[in-house]
Amino acid sequence: MGKGDYTMEKLKQTRKARIGVYTMGLRHYWDQFAGLRERLLEYGRFIVDKIEKMGNVEVFFYGLVDCEKEGRAAGEYFASNHVDLIFAHGGTYVTSASVVPVHQICKAPVVVLNLQPAARINYQKTTTGEWLAHCGACSVPELSNAFHRTGIKFRVVNGLLGLDYTPDISMTNENTAQMPQAKRAWKEIEEWVLAAGVKSGLAHSRFGFLGNTYNGMLDMYSDFTMFQGQTKAHLEVLEMCDLNRMMEAVTQREMEEKRREIEEFFYISDTGGADPLAQKPTKEQLNWSAKVAAAQERLVKEYDLDALTYYYHGAPGNAYEKLQGGFIVGHSLLTAKGIPCAGEGDLKTCLAMKICDLVHKGGSFCEIVVTDYEDGTILLGHDGPFHLAIAEGKPILRGMGLFHGKQGTGVSVEAKVRQGDITNLACTQTGEGKLKFIITEAQATSGPIMSIGNTQTPVKFKKDPDAYMDEWFAQYPTHHFAMSVGHNGSLFEKIGDILDIPTVVLDK
């Protein structure tokens, strides 16, 4: 298994994003300019085809909105199909009175697509009808004013349409697929589609909360009603006896299959780490972790979970103390299978991890570990779980003599996120009880990590560590966050926008 080759089959399929699309025009034009109506519909269908090819999406194309009556019909059409997002394609000039009813009836977020078909018109040959096929921007100022005054939140994507051919009716070159203005516009459109997928995925998801929040971590305490109110996700409160019931049902065969899975996706340390607490895991520890992992997967399936946050210390020597000692390996496997698991009862970071996973960017559970002032990096990680899909090399399993700050012993994951672009997504809560996203793009480096059985990634920010931490701490974060691969700042901003969650981007 090579670097980064840790993809695992998802336990659940995410609900597809439902995208509405319509093209704008003015009904008076159709009898005046032959072929214009059909030409604009062709552009609209091109947009639909491009979005459908993005995958995990259903597109509902209304066609032309060219008068107030069609606007109302389009609004009813999108509302009846429960779309998560509407792309309003500016085909040519349209009166705002035609378009406003769409969004008064259907409350889905709207993105206006100001996509010009050609980089340049043919000035010598262009007729009025030809010009009208390129003047979609003409109505955008009017729409922005009307939307503002009628309380409709909107966004705009500007650029080129990106056709890879020129329609026969055209008087200029419309093959703009490779132009930067088209690529940039379609990157934005794809990010909006992904954001709509997050909105849809969360609204139909079930988060499990197993046990309790680590005692005394005031930053992590969250209002469950607030969580559902702002994400639309259901929260299922689970007890350790629910997991124990799953444990009692695990068969020897299930345990052995899970043990083989563990051996495939992890390197099992055959020596100790630098820390005498982090040693070669024993056969008994690995078997116990495998049995617990099988029970954890049973729990997820029994309660139809999409994510899980957990913590339980148990009384010394208690059966549940032993049970939670086997958590980390199984929760790392679940995270890799699309069921993000966040430790210490951190529901908000579990949300951040789920968002990262929904857009296929990983999402590993992290906090500040230590600063390396010589390398100018901050080591970020935790004692688990870890997202295997974004690992640098094969994660190592170590047997732990104890879990620092917690009770019990067990097997832990030692790993780092692969070198390259990363984005941290932190989810905190304001004094007013609202969720808030804090986003930072940075670089995972090839720097060293400790061999103490924890996940760790050295990260270089655009500013020096102290200057960055000055900015970070001023945003009152929780001490956990999710690390994703790639520079995803603009994507995460759109997700915050579509979820109506305030968002701050640091270290720009």
Side-chain angles (χ1 to χ4, degrees):
M1 191 178 296
K3 172 181 173 181
D5 186 20
Y6 298 96
T7 55
M8 302 178 80
E9 185 177 350
K10 301 291 187 181
L11 286 181
K12 289 184 66 176
Q13 293 301 312
T14 305
R15 183 183 184 274
K16 292 181 179 180
R18 300 169 72 86
I19 306 295
V21 179
Y22 69 91
T23 294
M24 307 177 203
L26 187 64
R27 178 160 291 195
H28 297 300
Y29 292 158
W30 312 147
D31 293 334
Q32 295 175 334
F33 305 103
L36 179 60
R37 181 180 186 277
E38 293 73 22
R39 182 176 182 177
L40 300 184
L41 282 170
E42 182 178 346
Y43 293 153
R45 292 189 185 99
F46 169 78
I47 291 169
V48 169
D49 184 60
K50 289 269 287 185
I51 294 171
E52 285 178 336
K53 289 177 180 177
M54 293 176 185
N56 201 39
V57 63
E58 290 182 86
V59 182
F60 298 87
F61 183 44
Y62 180 78
L64 278 170
V65 169
D66 57 5
C67 65
E68 178 266 346
K69 182 179 178 181
E70 290 294 344
R72 293 189 180 279
E76 297 287 355
Y77 172 74
F78 294 135
S80 66
N81 284 290
H82 307 288
V83 298
D84 302 298
L85 178 71
I86 298 174
F87 285 118
H89 165 226
T92 187
Y93 174 74
V94 66
T95 60
S96 50
S98 302
V99 171
V100 165
V102 179
H103 308 289
Q104 288 180 315
I105 294 170
C106 181
K107 304 299 184 181
V110 55
V111 178
V112 176
L113 300 183
N114 174 30
L115 304 176
Q116 187 167 292
R120 191 181 198 192
I121 60 172
N122 186 329
Y123 290 99
Q124 287 72 38
K125 295 183 178 180
T126 291
T127 62
T128 301
E130 173 75 5
W131 158 62
L132 289 173
H134 296 273
C135 78
C138 180
S139 59
V140 178
E142 176 181 340
L143 292 174
S144 65
N145 181 272
F147 284 162
H148 173 71
R149 291 168 65 186
T150 54
I152 297 168
K153 184 178 178 181
F154 71 99
R155 306 85 173 161
V156 181
V157 173
N158 300 301
L160 287 169
L161 181 59
L163 291 177
D164 56 4
Y165 67 97
T166 296
D168 292 338
I169 195 174
S170 179
M171 296 180 179
T172 190
N173 176 23
E174 296 189 20
N175 188 337
T176 61
Q178 299 306 313
M179 294 191 69
Q181 296 89 342
K183 290 182 177 181
R184 184 182 64 246
W186 277 101
K187 179 178 182 293
E188 280 196 69
I189 293 169
E190 184 173 18
E191 288 179 346
W192 280 117
V193 171
L194 287 170
V198 169
K199 177 188 176 187
S200 175
L202 291 178
H204 294 83
S205 66
R206 293 168 54 84
F207 278 64
F209 192 98
L210 175 62
N212 48 54
T213 303
Y214 192 108
N215 185 41
M217 289 184 171
L218 301 179
D219 61 318
M220 293 197 300
Y221 295 162
S222 293
D223 175 349
F224 291 172
T225 306
M226 171 279 297
F227 180 82
Q228 180 164 343
Q230 294 186 51
T231 67
K232 295 184 173 63
H234 171 77
L235 189 70
E236 187 77 8
V237 178
L238 304 169
E239 302 290 349
M240 288 293 284
C241 53
D242 293 316
L243 181 60
N244 191 61
R245 178 166 53 87
M246 303 298 145
M247 280 284 292
E248 292 172 349
V250 172
T251 65
Q252 180 69 19
R253 180 178 178 180
E254 282 181 273
M255 188 273 285
E256 291 172 355
E257 287 177 352
K258 192 59 67 175
R259 174 69 187 266
R260 285 192 290 272
E261 185 178 28
I262 290 169
E263 290 172 351
E264 178 182 359
F265 284 94
F266 295 97
Y267 170 74
I268 299 171
S269 174
D270 55 6
T271 60
D275 190 334
L277 296 174
Q279 298 299 311
K280 175 182 177 181
T282 66
K283 179 181 178 181
E284 291 74 19
Q285 284 178 319
L286 289 170
N287 285 342
W288 181 248
S289 288
K291 187 173 183 179
V292 173
Q296 290 165 326
E297 190 163 315
R298 275 178 170 264
L299 184 78
V300 164
K301 292 177 178 178
E302 172 83 10
Y303 290 94
D304 193 27
L305 301 180
D306 297 270
L308 176 69
T309 187
Y310 64 92
Y311 176 71
Y312 197 85
H313 58 267
N318 183 277
Y320 290 170
E321 180 195 51
K322 182 182 178 185
L323 180 54
Q324 65 84 29
F327 274 2
I328 291 175
V329 176
H331 283 149
S332 291
L333 291 173
L334 285 173
T335 298
K337 294 178 180 181
I339 313 295
C341 299
E344 298 177 358
D346 191 345
L347 179 60
K348 296 186 290 295
T349 299
C350 191
L351 171 63
M353 293 169 68
K354 184 63 181 177
I355 289 170
C356 294
D357 189 77
L358 283 170
V359 294
H360 318 296
K361 304 294 185 182
S364 254
F365 192 59
C366 287
E367 65 183 5
I368 296 176
V369 177
V370 71
T371 299
D372 186 327
Y373 284 99
E374 292 188 6
D375 283 353
T377 58
I378 304 176
L379 204 63
L380 306 174
H382 209 270
D383 61 3
F386 184 76
H387 201 305
L388 307 181
I390 60 175
E392 177 80 50
K394 207 167 186 177
I396 300 170
L397 294 186
R398 296 195 188 276
M400 303 298 293
L402 60 81
F403 294 123
H404 68 275
K406 305 178 179 73
Q407 292 176 193
T409 66
V411 179
S412 191
V413 178
E414 183 178 295
K416 66 193 298 188
V417 171
R418 61 176 175 260
Q419 187 176 348
D421 296 344
I422 62 102
T423 306
N424 293 330
L425 176 61
C427 182
T428 187
Q429 187 172 342
T430 69
E432 294 75 34
K434 300 292 186 180
L435 295 174
K436 173 184 170 182
F437 290 155
I438 308 169
I439 300 165
T440 309
E441 293 182 342
Q443 296 286 322
T445 76
S446 59
I449 65 172
M450 298 174 282
S451 56
I452 60 172
N454 285 10
T455 71
Q456 305 147 72
T457 303
V459 172
K460 184 177 286 291
F461 296 91
K462 295 174 185 176
K463 296 180 179 177
D464 68 81
D466 287 345
Y468 172 70
M469 287 190 286
D470 282 344
E471 287 192 356
W472 185 6
F473 301 157
Q475 295 299 327
Y476 42 88
T478 61
H479 72 281
H480 296 142
F481 51 89
M483 184 183 295
S484 67
V485 291
H487 277 171
N488 310 312
S490 62
L491 170 58
F492 290 159
E493 278 190 284
K494 291 179 176 66
I495 292 169
D497 186 359
I498 209 168
L499 294 176
D500 200 25
I501 293 175
T503 301
V504 175
V505 181
L506 298 184
D507 211 11
K508 285 187 175 181

